[in-house]
Amino acid sequence: MTDQHTDIADGLTPERRAHVIRGRAENHVPNPGYDRILADMDKDPNYADTLTPHMRLALATYANDKAAHDDLND
């Protein structure tokens, strides 16, 4: 597993943590539009400032789900 899952609470047992990550992986649905926005944000961090708070939250959730999916399917 990657260090990308640092937003998961520290106090969880390893089994519960794995359950949360598996749940995120199951939630992942590929979205090329979100992938493109995340790539644009990687190129220019100021791009995030142009997004609404709702979109930033949606992208963060999508990125977490995608990271979990990638971790479990690599």
Side-chain angles (χ1 to χ4, degrees):
M1 304 269 170
T2 67
D3 293 332
Q4 187 152 357
H5 309 293
T6 57
D7 63 314
I8 298 174
D10 289 336
L12 297 179
T13 64
E15 293 82 14
R16 180 67 183 140
R17 183 178 174 80
H19 177 77
V20 169
I21 292 172
R22 275 193 308 276
R24 286 181 176 182
E26 291 171 3
N27 289 336
H28 178 66
V29 175
N31 184 325
Y34 279 17
D35 288 331
R36 188 173 44 255
I37 293 170
L38 289 170
D40 290 345
M41 287 172 53
D42 282 342
K43 293 176 195 169
D44 179 12
N46 293 324
Y47 182 72
D49 295 338
T50 67
L51 303 173
T52 65
H54 176 77
M55 180 54 99
R56 286 192 296 250
L57 179 60
L59 287 167
T61 301
Y62 177 79
N64 284 336
D65 292 351
K66 182 177 181 182
H69 179 268
D70 292 348
D71 282 350
L72 294 179
N73 292 295
D74 282 343

